[in-house]
Amino acid sequence: MTVSTFLQKSSRGSIETLVVDNALGRAEIALFGGHVIAFTPHHDNRQRLWLSPVADLTGKKPIRGGIPVCWPWFSDDHGRAKGELPSHGFLRNQVWQLVETQQNEDKTTVILSPPVTSGEGFGFKTDVALHITVGRELCVSLVTKNTDIKQFTFNAALHTYFQVDNVSKTELLGLSGNYKDKLSNWQETPTPSPYVFSGETDRIHLNPVADNIISTSGTSTLVKHQGHDSIVVWNPWRSAASIADMDAFGYKHMLCVETAITQGVVLNPGDSRALTQIIA
Ligand code: TA6
């Protein structure tokens, strides 16, 4: 079904999607999770996002790949025992609503919002919206507005899975300073240079630089970050074999570079915070 010339309704498995295709780029957005699953600018026709070939597309668990939206906590940092509340918050499991679309000469913007923004682990009133702009670049912006009478603290991430030909031949440019290593009990460790990959990697970089470049097989993907306090870099490597919705060698073709808030943003009543990732 056509919503506008540039926006069509489609589906993947049992999940409804919106396909944006305009003069400069094409993206596919799953309503389940408010989740961008594909982006290809027309000028080079190169897919920027990795979607697991065995992703669960039943709408029963979060989609493995694309740009998962983590909110209002990151990972298992919800103050309860691990597993008591869903990893990365409770927006990845909801069917988001289409709120608005905007079109100008070379950009299409789709605004989505989740139906439920408070629940176990986070009991505040808030408006959350995801603004997705598709053109030569993809811009994804998660806007949190405090509509409560109380202040609250939240974390969030745009947990993007980038497609790479071979992660062993990939270099990540632009990071410096220390990172916290989840694999070494959060020990602070200096960022390697060159930043290349040869094993499981799960790191929260504390120096929130504005840009990264993922350099792989003669291509460069520019990743811009705004409104963040950290950048997370993740590849499960061989432990992908124990992740149900990744095949054993899926790790070779993905690298997560995440625009994140992991140190807690305090939002006063009436205030908003945008967390933005731009992919070129
Ligand atoms: O962002 C890195 C991370 O928090 C890892 O620790 C890893 O568990 C990953 O996210 C995937 O989480 P998920 O809940 O999607 O399986």
Side-chain angles (χ1 to χ4, degrees), residues 49-105:
L49 303 180
W50 180 83
L51 178 65
S52 171
V54 291
D56 186 321
L57 298 172
T58 60
K60 295 202 171 101
K61 55 183 284 199
I63 299 169
R64 179 74 59 197
I67 312 184
V69 177
C70 309
W71 187 100
W73 55 81
F74 181 75
S75 186
D76 295 304
D77 188 14
H78 40 59
R80 308 263 186 100
K82 188 172 180 223
E84 241 184 68
L85 294 175
S87 162
H88 294 312
F90 48 78
L91 300 188
R92 296 193 298 172
N93 289 307
Q94 294 184 43
V95 179
W96 293 42
Q97 291 147 351
L98 176 61
V99 176
E100 197 181 321
T101 60
Q102 297 160 0
Q103 179 67 41
N104 68 27
E105 238 167 70

Side-chain angles (χ1 to χ4, degrees), residues 99-121:
V99 176
E100 197 181 321
T101 60
Q102 297 160 0
Q103 179 67 41
N104 68 27
E105 238 167 70
D106 51 16
K107 278 182 188 156
T108 309
T109 299
V110 171
I111 303 176
L112 302 176
S113 77
V116 178
T117 55
S118 76
E120 219 186 320

Side-chain angles (χ1 to χ4, degrees), residues 62 64 74-75 87-88 92 159 161 182 202 232-234 243 256 258:
R64 179 74 59 197
F74 181 75
S75 186
S87 162
H88 294 312
R92 296 193 298 172
H159 188 305
Y161 291 72
K182 185 168 176 182
D202 200 345
V232 179
V233 179
W234 179 58
I243 301 178
C256 284
E258 310 168 29

Side-chain angles (χ1 to χ4, degrees), residues 8-13 15-19 28-32 35 37 63:
Q8 313 246 323
K9 284 192 176 172
S10 185
S11 63
R12 292 264 191 145
I15 293 174
E16 258 190 79
T17 64
L18 298 171
V19 176
E28 187 166 3
I29 303 157
L31 293 179
F32 180 68
H35 197 130
I37 56 173
I63 299 169

Side-chain angles (χ1 to χ4, degrees), residues 15 64 69 76 96 114 118 136 139 153 163 174 182 185 190 194 201 218 224-225 228 237-238 247 253 265 279:
I15 293 174
R64 179 74 59 197
V69 177
D76 295 304
W96 293 42
S118 76
R136 193 185 164 95
C139 176
T153 303
Q163 180 155 304
K182 185 168 176 182
N185 200 22
T201 305
K224 299 188 227 176
H225 315 273
H228 58 309
W237 217 262
R238 298 263 149 80
D247 58 52
H253 305 295
V265 158
I279 300 170

